[in-house]
């Protein structure tokens, strides 16, 4: 089988070159089904294309491995099933993401190959090409990557590998981990994926009542859908920034990110263009008029079955008053009202974040696999192609 690697042409889905993004989306869907057991959360072609159009805050490069005139190895739907007639078959892809306003030392790298095309050297060639792109970016010294998995192995499983932090396990036999270790990029930290099956039990209403009582009368809640009022934009951006300062990331060479009102406007524009919606509950501290806590749920108008729990943050001076639980319960209640048919909510938390995990477990979130965060000095990565 002849294959080659090329850079995905720039991202407009309506352009004849939109095949690349349809192809990447199909590869990601197949990889998610194979490695996570669900394609919930796999990016759509539209989301991928939109992420490429405005690179103000993050430079993104995408490579595709294509088989010209190829037929699928398994005889089924071609990877790149949305590919217009004549477009090449996409069987793998590579990604480089470089933050442009903070974390200037960091290069986020990722490769994936559709399962029927693995063990032919395609992943190695993609990885080498992505690393070459990263090395060509001035100042990037740390490579970060991620491998997702469907379930944490039992503690006594022979292949169980414990994160260096001591929290969280992954199977050392996972193809992505074997591949990454061969490239010299090692396990640093584990992030737990959890799922909340809907509808939630009555316990959540009780948790909300208790949290409201614990918080007391000094807080006013705001609930926003698909928008953040201009008056609160800078305050909410400060909370996003706070999260990047406070979220425990032991061992990871990541710096706090810089967020302001302009970046939030940019973020909201991108979410809308990608066809995503969101529900946000924020707590205002009435005596100071400041936003001090918030949580956000992302939903997908074209995908009823699931939503994703994103940012939850409480500023340090207001912790210990159950505000995290309060904003999450209120947001979830609002989600039930506007998205009654949704069956599950996914979330991710670092295994080294016991307070956030405790809130989620109390609300009914249950472990459902996770992802291993991998890291190495960019200069140390080994060439994989032979
Ligand atoms: C990881 C992944 C990209 C590898 O793609 P691939 O095309 O099969 O990779 P290659 O054929 O180029 O393999 C290169 C080397 O990696 C190692 N490797 C890859 N898959 C492996 C597996 N299943 N078991 C053991 N070693 C493996 C081997 O050393 C291999 O060389 P070899 O075949 O000569 O032994 C693919 O399994 C995948 O898409 N996984 C899901 C996404 C992911 O985890 N990405 C990694 C993030 S960095």
């Amino acid at each position: 089988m002849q294959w080659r690697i090329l850079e995905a042409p720039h991202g407009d889905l309506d352009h004849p070159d939109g095949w690349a993004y349809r192809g990447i989306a199909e590869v990601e869907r197949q990889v998610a089904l194979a490695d996570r057991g669900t394609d919930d959360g796999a990016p759509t072609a539209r989301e991928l294309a939109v992420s490429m159009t405005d690179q103000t805050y993050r430079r993104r490069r995408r490579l595709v491995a294509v088989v010209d005139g190829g037929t699928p190895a398994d005889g089924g739907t071609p990877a790149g099933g949305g590919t217009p007639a004549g477009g090449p078959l996409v069987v793998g892809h590579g990604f480089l993401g470089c933050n442009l306003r903070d974390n200037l030392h960091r290069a986020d790298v990722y490769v994936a190959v559709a399962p029927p095309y693995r063990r032919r050297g395609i992943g190695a060639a993609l990885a080498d090409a992505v690393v070459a792109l990263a090395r060509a970016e001035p100042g990037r010294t740390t490579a970060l990557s991620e491998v997702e998995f469907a379930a944490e192995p039992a503690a006594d499983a022979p292949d169980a590998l414990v994160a260096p932090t001591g929290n969280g396990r992954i199977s050392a036999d996972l193809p992505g981990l074997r591949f990454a270790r061969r490239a010299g990029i090692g396990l640093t930290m584990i992030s737990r994926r959890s799922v909340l099956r809907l509808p939630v039990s009555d316990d959540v209403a009780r948790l909300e009542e208790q949290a409201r009582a614990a918080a007391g009368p000094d807080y006013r809640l705001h609930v926003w859908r698909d928008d953040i009022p201009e008056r609160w934009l800078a305050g909410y951006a400060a909370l996003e920034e706070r999260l990047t300062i406070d979220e425990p990331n032991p061992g990871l060479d990541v710096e706090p990110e810089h967020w302001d009102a302009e970046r939030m406007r940019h973020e909201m524009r991108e979410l809308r263009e990608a066809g995503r919606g969101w529900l946000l509950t924020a707590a205002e501290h009435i005596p100071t008029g400041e936003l001090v806590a918030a949580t956000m749920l992302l939903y997908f108008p074209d995908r009823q079955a699931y939503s994703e729990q994103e940012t939850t943050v409480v500023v340090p001076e207001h912790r210990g008053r159950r505000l995290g639980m309060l904003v999450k319960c209120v947001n979830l209640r609002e989600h039930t009202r506007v998205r009654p048919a949704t069956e599950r909510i996914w979330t991710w938390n670092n295994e080294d974040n016991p307070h956030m995990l405790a809130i989620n477990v109390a609300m009914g979130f249950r472990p459902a696999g996770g992802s291993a965060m991998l890291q190495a000095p960019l200069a140390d990565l080994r060439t994989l192609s032979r």
Side-chain angles (χ1 to χ4, degrees):
M1 189 190 71
Q2 290 294 319
W3 50 270
R4 65 197 165 102
I5 290 176
L6 43 110
E7 180 144 12
H10 211 268
D12 179 354
L13 264 195
D14 299 325
H15 189 273
D17 284 342
W19 59 266
Y21 295 91
R22 294 191 180 87
I24 295 171
E26 178 57 21
V27 168
E28 278 297 297
R29 196 184 67 78
Q30 292 190 16
V31 167
L33 283 172
D35 295 349
R36 298 205 311 261
T38 170
D39 62 358
D40 282 4
T44 62
R46 180 176 171 191
E47 287 165 354
L48 290 162
V50 164
S51 75
M52 300 300 286
T53 51
D54 184 341
Q55 309 216 355
T56 310
Y57 291 94
R58 192 159 155 85
R59 185 163 28 255
R60 296 179 177 92
R61 311 272 304 260
R62 290 192 183 275
L63 303 176
V64 281
V66 300
V67 179
D68 287 306
T71 47
D74 61 356
T77 312
T83 303
L89 179 67
V90 177
V91 297
H93 75 99
F95 171 76
L96 169 68
C98 293
N99 280 18
L100 297 175
R101 301 290 169 94
D102 49 58
N103 286 279
L104 301 179
H105 64 294
R106 189 173 127 185
D108 300 339
V109 296
Y110 180 73
V111 300
V113 175
Y117 298 91
R118 290 183 183 170
R119 299 312 292 271
R120 300 169 193 234
I122 298 175
L126 281 165
D128 291 346
V130 168
V131 168
L133 289 179
R135 287 186 175 145
E137 291 281 336
R140 306 285 155 173
T141 51
T142 299
L144 288 168
S145 194
E146 199 173 344
V147 172
E148 294 196 271
F149 54 92
E152 185 178 63
D156 59 356
D159 61 332
L161 186 67
V162 178
T165 64
N167 296 313
R169 290 182 298 274
I170 181 174
S171 162
D173 286 338
L174 209 70
L177 194 63
R178 282 176 169 253
F179 175 85
R181 290 169 106 188
R182 171 134 179 240
I185 183 161
L187 172 61
T188 305
M189 196 192 80
I190 288 182
S191 176
R192 183 191 303 179
R193 182 171 348 107
S194 308
V195 64
L196 178 66
R197 304 278 168 196
L198 302 177
V200 292
S201 78
D202 295 343
D203 293 352
V204 175
R206 259 194 307 279
L207 288 171
E208 181 182 331
E209 261 174 53
Q210 289 163 2
R212 204 177 285 279
D218 278 353
Y219 302 95
R220 179 186 297 135
L221 298 188
H222 300 268
V223 181
W224 300 310
R225 180 179 182 185
D226 300 343
D227 202 8
I228 301 174
E230 199 56 36
R231 148 90 178 83
W232 296 108
L233 218 43
Y236 181 74
L239 292 179
E240 283 282 353
E241 180 162 303
R242 189 77 234 172
L243 177 68
T244 72
I245 297 169
D246 288 350
E247 189 179 23
N249 283 313
L252 283 188
D253 181 17
V254 296
E255 290 172 355
E257 294 177 2
H258 176 60
W259 283 83
D260 56 18
E262 190 46 41
R263 188 165 177 179
M264 275 316 304
R265 279 186 210 102
H266 180 273
E267 180 78 5
M268 289 195 292
R269 207 163 43 239
E270 204 167 280
L271 286 171
R272 288 190 191 104
E273 283 170 14
R276 294 171 173 179
W278 66 91
L279 291 169
L280 201 161
T281 296
E284 174 193 355
H285 181 233
I286 299 168
T288 57
E290 302 277 326
L291 287 190
V292 296
T295 193
M296 183 197 257
L297 277 162
L298 270 185
Y299 67 90
F300 307 87
D302 58 344
R303 282 161 278 168
Q304 278 285 346
Y306 70 95
S307 295
E308 293 178 356
Q309 169 69 57
E310 300 283 325
T311 308
T312 300
V313 61
V314 180
V315 301
E317 307 78 52
H318 293 269
R319 290 186 189 150
R321 298 188 179 118
R322 305 275 180 94
L323 286 174
M325 179 68 89
L326 181 60
V327 290
K328 282 192 88 152
C329 290
V330 170
N331 214 37
L332 189 55
R333 196 154 45 75
E334 182 66 1
H335 181 275
T336 306
R337 195 180 68 78
V338 303
R339 305 287 292 170
T342 300
E343 294 161 20
R344 53 195 173 270
I345 295 178
W346 297 98
T347 196
W348 297 260
N349 305 101
N350 300 344
E351 285 286 3
D352 305 274
N353 195 350
H355 299 303
M356 194 70 254
L357 283 168
I359 291 176
N360 288 342
V361 168
M363 290 177 78
F365 279 92
R366 295 293 169 256
S371 49
M373 311 305 296
L374 314 171
Q375 175 175 290
L378 189 53
D380 291 357
L381 292 185
R382 292 190 282 270
T383 303
L384 284 170
S385 305
R386 257 164 265 119

